[in-house]
Amino acid sequence: MGTSKFDIADYLESSEMIAEYLNTALEEGNDTEIVRAIGNVAKAIGMIKMEIADTVISESST
């Protein structure tokens, strides 16, 4: 049985969650952690946009 790599971007599903994550990084993190957090947020936003696009496409094809 294998394990999967944890990716915080999979759990940043709302603007509130993203804001809390960034605020925590800004308050507690060093420069490297803050840059990593910004990258994770960018990835999460991209994933959210892809999910929205997939939903719109599937709804328009039915």
Side-chain angles (χ1 to χ4, degrees), residues 13-58:
E13 299 175 338
S14 69
S15 56
E16 293 83 11
M17 293 171 81
I18 290 170
E20 183 64 31
Y21 176 66
L22 282 177
N23 284 332
T24 301
L26 290 169
E27 291 171 3
E28 301 175 9
N30 60 34
D31 291 347
T32 302
E33 292 165 336
I34 292 168
V35 169
R36 185 177 301 124
I38 292 169
N40 289 332
V41 167
K43 182 178 179 182
I45 290 171
M47 290 167 50
I48 292 168
K49 287 183 178 182
M50 296 260 318
E51 289 175 18
I52 292 169
D54 287 345
T55 301
V56 169
I57 290 169
S58 66

